[in-house]
């Protein structure tokens, strides 16, 4: 039976909001005819059954999920790094967890939502502030996230393609690296895909059903793990407007507003100077003296971010051909390959949007829009780690649709030859990167190894009540067990030295860690007033120093 234009239009306007069975009754058309049409147009979504019966454990879903769990556990354990990560952010999260565990709340923190620190606080209380236990918490979210990614994507591209997409996502070197860091990237990945999964299951439920509110809470909760979760909320609202369910969209918008406004008000009452929005307004958050962003600097920011992400980072997120980590800045793909991979990703995103896969496509667009306008000083792979599966999915979606169109027209041997060649190529890249990461994690890079040696020396050889200045004060303080503070980010040498006097500083760390503010601001100030500094610790290759600061007498002119 052939469908009329009117029937096809009716199906497109009502699916998947209304189930196939209901559309079948309305049009008086067999279910098989509608399903076949939906498959041909790429609109068909595999229905998720209510609950999980015993039969589910005999399906491919079960076996693929178990396979992904086993793979993520094996790979994660093989690449598990017990050491403290070099970012000061992981120290901040640990300290916020301690603050919550001690009943002090977030201690005036204006930036980070409470979701992840709260989980850390519970872990710290159960395991006596063990760093290993907090790393394991993140690792558990990594392996759980692998199943969520698969269960979402298999609805759109089938089980086998979803398995491949998930495998490529969880074996990306950046995802593997952050799978055990006490950072919010993997927790955000887990909770965002949990929110997407709940929304995909319950999005078509009536507002009278409790299930739709589970979906709303799942999506809203993502914001309380990481502030950029607001884009998933926006995508969920936009979904209902795109399918013209205005009443539902407006109602859910109001519910989201009620759920989010308390945290917004709390942020305003605590502080505005350290908020993400305030940092966005600066030309450079590390150099507030440069002032606020204007049109020219905004265009410059947008240009740099577009090149970084669409030419370098997104292609690497899809196919990580060269081994890289947040500490190892390896080669990037040639320009033409980067453009091709980004083009495939964009084509897949557009194709999915046209096939009414609105939530994932709009989420990807909104997320990248925020990343594009974020301060370029922070550009890099770290900010897109939680949506690496999205990049891989849309690229695979494009190839999946092409495969469905052309696979019957290809010689069977050529067909399988292409698939096996691609699979072998991707497996070789994956195993190469995993092996490389295993070697990388044995020790810190030299500049960081020396930095931590200096912190350990300070722990063993300085008074417990001393005050130490360092660029990464939280990190150095965590290892040295001493009170550490930063220095003013200014070219004015006297201002920097005055801050040492005013804060009664005892020691100053001058290291080779890759932060430009050390050679830009701190080193010139130390050289200018070198008579006030006595070296008490030094190590070469690369040079790292601890100076004792002479705070006696008056501030020099």
């Amino acid at each position: 039976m052939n469908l009329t234009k009117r029937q096809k239009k009716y199906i497109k306007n009502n699916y998947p909001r209304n189930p196939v069975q209901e559309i079948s009754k309305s049009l008086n058309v067999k279910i098989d005819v509608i399903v076949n049409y939906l498959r041909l147009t790429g609109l068909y979504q595999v229905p998720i059954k209510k609950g999980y019966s015993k039969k589910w454990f005999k399906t491919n879903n079960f076996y693929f999920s178990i396979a992904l769990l086993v793979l993520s556990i094996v790979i994660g354990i093989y690449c598990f790094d017990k050491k403290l990560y070099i970012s000061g952010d992981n120290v901040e999260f640990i300290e916020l967890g301690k603050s919550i565990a001690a009943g002090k709340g977030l201690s005036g923190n204006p930036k980070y939502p409470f979701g992840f620190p709260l989980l850390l606080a519970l872990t710290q209380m159960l395991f006596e502030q063990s760093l290993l236990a907090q790393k394991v918490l993140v690792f558990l979210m990594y392996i759980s996230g692998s199943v969520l990614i698969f269960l979402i994507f298999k609805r759109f591209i089938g089980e086998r393609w979803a398995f491949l997409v998930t495998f490529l996502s969880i074996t990306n070197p950046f995802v593997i690296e952050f799978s055990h860091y006490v950072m919010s990237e993997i927790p955000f990945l887990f909770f965002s895909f949990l929110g997407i999964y709940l929304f995909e299951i319950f999005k078509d439920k009536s507002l009278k059903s409790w299930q739709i509110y589970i979906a709303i809470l799942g999506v809203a909760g993502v914001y309380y793990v990481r502030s950029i979760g607001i884009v998933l909320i926006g995508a969920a609202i936009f979904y209902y407007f795109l399918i013209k369910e205005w009443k539902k969209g407006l109602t859910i918008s109001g519910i989201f507003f009620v759920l989010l406004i308390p945290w917004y008000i709390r942020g305003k009452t605590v502080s505005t100077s350290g908020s993400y929005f305030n940092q966005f307004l600066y030309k450079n958050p590390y150099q507030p003296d440069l002032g606020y962003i204007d049109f020219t600097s905004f265009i410059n920011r947008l240009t740099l971010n577009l090149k970084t992400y669409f030419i370098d980072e997104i292609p690497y997120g899809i196919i990580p051909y060269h081994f890289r980590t947040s500490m190892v800045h390896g080669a990037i793909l040639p320009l033409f390959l980067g453009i091709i991979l980004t083009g495939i990703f964009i084509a897949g995103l557009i194709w999915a949007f046209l096939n009414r896969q609105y939530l994932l496509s709009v989420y990807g667009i909104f997320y990248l829009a925020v990343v594009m306008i974020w301060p370029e000083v922070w550009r890099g792979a770290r900010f897109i780690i939680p949506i690496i599966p999205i990049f891989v999915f849309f690229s695979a979606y494009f190839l999946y649709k092409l495969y469905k169109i052309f696979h019957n027209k290809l010689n069977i041997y050529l067909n399988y030859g292409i698939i096996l060649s691609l699979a072998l190529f991707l497996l070789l890249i994956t195993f190469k990167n995993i092996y490389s990461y295993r070697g990388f994690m044995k020790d810190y890079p030299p500049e960081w190894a020396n930095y931590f040696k200096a912190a350990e020396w300070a722990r063993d050889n300085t008074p417990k009540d001393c005050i130490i200045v360092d660029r990464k004060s939280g990190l150095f303080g965590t290892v040295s067990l001493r009170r550490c503070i930063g220095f003013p980010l200014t070219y004015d040498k006297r201002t920097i030295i005055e801050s040492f006097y005013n804060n009664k500083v005892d020691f100053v760390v001058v290291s080779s860690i890759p932060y430009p503010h050390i050679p830009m601001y701190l080193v010139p100030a130390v050289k200018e007033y070198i008579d006030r500094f006595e070296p008490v610790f030094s190590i070469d290759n690369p040079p790292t120093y601890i100076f004792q600061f002479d705070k006696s007498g008056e501030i020099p002119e």
Side-chain angles (χ1 to χ4, degrees), residues 24 33 40 43 64 112 153 169 181 194 217 249 347 364 375 398 447-448 483 521 527:
S24 172
V33 174
L40 286 172
L43 297 175
F64 279 128
Y112 303 119
F153 292 160
S169 300
Y181 289 161
L194 177 61
L217 288 174
F398 176 78
E447 65 274 15
W448 285 103
R483 183 190 170 197
Y521 306 128
K527 287 182 176 179

Side-chain angles (χ1 to χ4, degrees), residues 66-76 142 163 167 170:
I66 292 298
L68 287 167
L69 278 175
V70 172
L71 282 169
S72 58
I73 290 170
V74 171
I75 293 168
Y142 162 73
F163 180 85
F167 178 75
I170 65 174

Side-chain angles (χ1 to χ4, degrees), residues 196-389:
I196 291 169
Y197 180 67
L198 292 172
F199 188 84
E200 286 292 343
I201 294 175
F202 300 131
K203 65 188 178 188
D204 299 321
K205 298 295 182 182
S206 164
L207 288 171
K208 296 179 181 180
S209 170
W210 61 269
Q211 292 169 316
I212 188 69
Y213 298 101
I214 296 295
I216 293 171
L217 288 174
V219 172
V222 178
Y223 176 74
Y224 284 101
V225 177
R226 215 173 185 195
S227 298
I228 200 171
I230 192 74
V231 300
L232 181 58
I233 293 171
I237 294 170
F238 207 60
Y239 168 83
Y240 288 110
F241 293 154
L242 284 171
I243 63 173
K244 299 180 181 180
E245 287 201 17
W246 310 109
K247 181 180 177 182
K248 199 171 186 179
L250 290 171
T251 303
I252 288 175
S253 298
I255 296 171
F256 279 133
F257 178 80
V258 171
L259 292 173
L260 302 189
I261 196 65
W263 182 252
Y264 174 80
I265 294 172
R266 184 262 178 195
K268 285 291 185 182
T269 57
V270 171
S271 171
T272 58
S273 61
S275 68
Y276 283 125
F277 181 72
N278 195 69
Q279 291 177 339
F280 161 76
L281 294 177
Y282 282 120
K283 290 181 179 178
N284 185 336
Y286 292 124
Q287 295 178 263
D289 294 343
L290 295 177
Y292 292 104
I293 194 169
D294 54 25
F295 180 76
T296 302
S297 54
F298 178 77
I299 295 300
N300 182 58
R301 173 185 294 183
L302 191 62
T303 302
L304 286 171
N305 284 339
L306 280 168
K307 178 192 177 299
T308 297
Y309 292 105
F310 282 91
I311 302 300
D312 300 340
E313 302 301 349
I314 290 177
Y316 187 80
I318 298 167
I319 298 182
Y321 183 76
H322 300 287
F323 175 70
R324 290 172 56 204
T325 72
S326 62
M327 290 183 269
V328 177
H329 305 290
I332 59 174
L333 288 169
L335 178 62
F336 77 96
L337 286 178
I339 292 173
I340 290 172
L341 287 173
T342 297
I344 291 173
F345 156 68
I346 293 173
L349 188 151
I350 294 171
W351 203 336
F353 183 86
L354 294 176
N355 284 341
R356 302 170 65 86
Q357 315 303 339
Y358 292 138
L359 181 68
L360 288 174
S361 52
V362 173
Y363 174 53
I365 292 168
F366 284 3
Y367 194 107
L368 284 174
V370 172
V371 171
M372 289 305 105
I373 62 174
W374 206 240
E376 66 273 23
V377 69
W378 288 324
R379 68 188 187 278
R382 184 181 150 194
F383 287 93
I384 59 171
I385 288 172
I387 60 165
I388 282 177

Side-chain angles (χ1 to χ4, degrees), residues 476-550:
F476 199 90
T478 297
V479 179
S480 66
L481 304 179
R482 300 294 183 267
R483 183 190 170 197
C484 293
I485 61 173
F487 54 85
L489 302 181
T490 175
Y491 289 104
D492 190 331
K493 305 178 189 71
R494 180 176 171 79
T495 298
I496 293 175
I497 298 301
E498 282 180 351
S499 74
F500 294 171
Y501 276 95
N502 295 335
N503 289 294
K504 299 179 181 180
V505 169
D506 298 292
F507 298 93
V508 177
V509 179
V510 179
S511 66
S512 296
I513 58 175
Y515 288 86
H517 312 110
I518 298 172
M520 189 183 298
Y521 306 128
L522 182 59
V523 171
V526 171
K527 287 182 176 179
E528 180 73 17
Y529 299 94
I530 193 63
D531 58 309
R532 295 281 173 169
F533 296 89
E534 178 186 354
V536 293
F537 173 86
S538 66
I539 188 171
D540 295 325
N541 300 319
T544 303
Y545 305 96
I546 297 179
F547 294 95
Q548 186 164 8
F549 178 66
D550 182 5

Side-chain angles (χ1 to χ4, degrees), residues 35-139:
V35 170
N36 287 336
Y37 172 70
L38 290 170
R39 289 187 186 277
L40 286 172
T41 55
L43 297 175
Y44 187 66
Q45 297 181 17
V46 179
I48 296 178
K49 296 179 181 179
K50 295 181 180 179
Y52 291 99
S53 66
K54 292 181 179 180
K55 291 182 180 179
W56 188 84
F57 294 97
K58 298 179 182 179
T59 64
N60 287 339
N61 285 346
F62 174 72
Y63 294 118
F64 279 128
S65 298
I66 292 298
L68 287 167
L69 278 175
V70 172
L71 282 169
S72 58
I73 290 170
V74 171
I75 293 168
I77 291 175
Y78 183 74
C79 297
F80 194 89
D81 188 352
K82 297 179 183 178
K83 300 191 301 296
L84 183 69
Y85 181 45
I86 61 172
S87 172
D89 288 357
N90 73 153
V91 172
E92 286 192 62
F93 282 122
I94 292 169
E95 292 301 319
L96 288 172
K98 290 179 182 178
S99 179
I100 294 175
K104 299 178 182 178
L106 290 175
S107 304
N109 156 62
K111 289 195 303 182
Y112 303 119
F114 64 82
F116 184 44
L118 178 61
L119 293 175
L120 291 177
L122 296 172
T123 305
Q124 291 171 0
M125 287 188 287
L126 289 172
F127 298 97
E128 299 180 349
Q129 299 188 0
S130 164
L131 175 62
L132 178 61
Q134 293 172 81
K135 282 175 167 282
V136 170
L137 171 68
V138 176
F139 176 63

